[in-house]
Amino acid sequence: MTLPVIQLTDAAAARMRDLLRSHNKESVGIRIGIEPSGCSGNSYTLAFADQKGPHDEVIEQHGITVYVDPQAMLFLMGTEMDYVEESLGSRFVFNNPNEKGRCGCGESFRL
């Protein structure tokens, strides 16, 4: 059995469900990618997916459909995506074994 590119925790899936329900436009799921950004070089991207891209990796977990940008697949292999709520805010957290480092603020990472 091969593992999916990314694993969602129950908390991440629940938050995605809430976001999809409150989105004004019907979407087929959430798209995850990586883009050049920040002081460490890369940032994770999340967006509502209106349709499947021609080369997207499709992952269905906990009743959520996730579309992984094909350019991000190799960099996301083995990643766990969680959602945490803290006293000063809430956010999605990526536990990615491929990261080589993070910036001080935690918003960007190096591969």
Side-chain angles (χ1 to χ4, degrees), residues 26-72:
E26 186 155 333
S27 297
V28 295
I30 302 287
R31 177 167 285 108
I32 298 174
I34 295 175
E35 68 180 17
S37 177
C39 52
S40 283
N42 299 287
S43 293
Y44 296 103
T45 62
L46 295 173
F48 292 104
D50 296 331
Q51 63 185 6
K52 179 189 178 298
H55 302 290
D56 285 346
E57 176 80 14
V58 179
I59 299 167
E60 295 185 10
Q61 294 177 8
H62 307 288
I64 295 294
T65 304
V66 175
Y67 299 89
V68 179
D69 182 307
Q71 295 179 342

